[in-house]
Amino acid sequence: MTNDRRLRPVDLARLAGVSTQQIRNYEDAGVLPPAARTASGYRVFGELHRGALLAYRTLMRGYGPVTATDIMRAVHEGDVPGALALLDAAHAALHEERVALRAASEALELLAAGPPAPLPRSGGLRIGEVAALLGVRTSALRVWEAAGLLTPGRERGTGYRVYEPADVRDARLVHTLRRSHYLFDQIRPVLQGLRREGGSAALRAAVAARGEALTARTRVMIEGAGALHTHLDRLTAAEAGQGGARPGYRGAGPGHG
């Protein structure tokens, strides 16, 4: 290894605020480069491992533990293009969320700006008709009703659900918000505010909060990408110092530390 400073598993554990077993797990998972071993089989880490750990912990905040692990494993297996492709995919997904949020904002403003649109016919709609109108399954409407988001009336005698214009408007709003990854607990106050106030202030607040969350996540993702860039530079320098070999080695015999 080209690392000058020798670090024990406990040193890295303290740095990240995890257990020493978690550090061993990180190495086994490929999050850290292979550690050198002493003659007795104990792991010996160095500054390269410290940098990898910091890069992973930073990536994890923005990309999540699964994607961060996949990225670091790809890097340490020598598949840098694959690691960068994972970053690209995560940023593309975030962009799609942002596009969907913008579309939801426009749709919500349109829906909440005025009174509910008239129905294709008088007397209300049945659940199958509403599902066809929205392009969803009837089971989705039942789930939303069970969650307290929709409250359609019931037809006397048959007990069939009857969706009035306000019910259809609410179903449209739920459908729009669900496509933008809102949870039921986030949608419920929006609908309550719309019904209570008859305006879109709650809708605007919900969309604004989601936009702020996306902005915060983007900043953390950029920070993680920067940490990965620094680690890649260190790996390249370490490989150059070893004549192109991957840093670290595994000694013979069982591991202990």
Side-chain angles (χ1 to χ4, degrees), residues 172-248:
R172 286 184 184 276
L173 288 170
V174 174
H175 182 44
T176 301
L177 288 167
R178 289 296 290 163
R179 286 189 300 178
S180 295
H181 309 291
Y182 283 90
L183 303 176
F184 288 163
D185 287 344
Q186 296 170 317
I187 297 174
R188 193 172 292 108
V190 173
L191 290 172
Q192 291 171 347
L194 179 62
R195 293 164 184 161
R196 182 178 60 252
E197 305 296 337
S200 58
L203 297 176
R204 292 193 186 95
V207 170
R210 181 62 177 165
E212 291 172 1
L214 289 178
T215 297
R217 186 181 170 201
T218 299
R219 291 177 64 91
V220 176
M221 289 172 73
I222 291 172
E223 183 181 359
L228 180 64
H229 183 271
T230 298
H231 180 57
L232 288 173
D233 282 348
R234 290 171 177 165
L235 273 176
T236 300
E239 290 173 4
Q242 294 183 0
R246 301 296 298 173

Side-chain angles (χ1 to χ4, degrees), residues 44-136:
V44 179
F45 296 106
E47 287 299 321
L48 195 61
H49 300 92
R50 178 180 178 276
L53 179 60
L54 292 175
Y56 171 72
R57 300 289 289 185
T58 308
L59 282 168
M60 189 170 60
R61 289 166 46 211
Y63 297 85
V66 174
T67 300
T69 297
D70 290 342
I71 290 170
M72 297 301 290
R73 182 186 296 119
V75 166
H76 296 140
E77 289 176 350
D79 185 14
V80 174
L84 298 180
L86 291 170
L87 262 74
D88 290 343
H91 283 274
L94 188 66
H95 172 69
E96 289 301 320
E97 285 191 51
R98 203 178 292 280
V99 170
L101 183 66
R102 184 164 57 249
S105 177
E106 295 172 358
L108 290 171
E109 289 297 325
L110 178 63
L111 288 169
L119 300 182
R121 61 177 176 80
S122 61
L125 299 180
R126 298 281 179 84
I127 188 171
E129 295 173 310
V130 177
L133 191 64
L134 271 60
V136 301

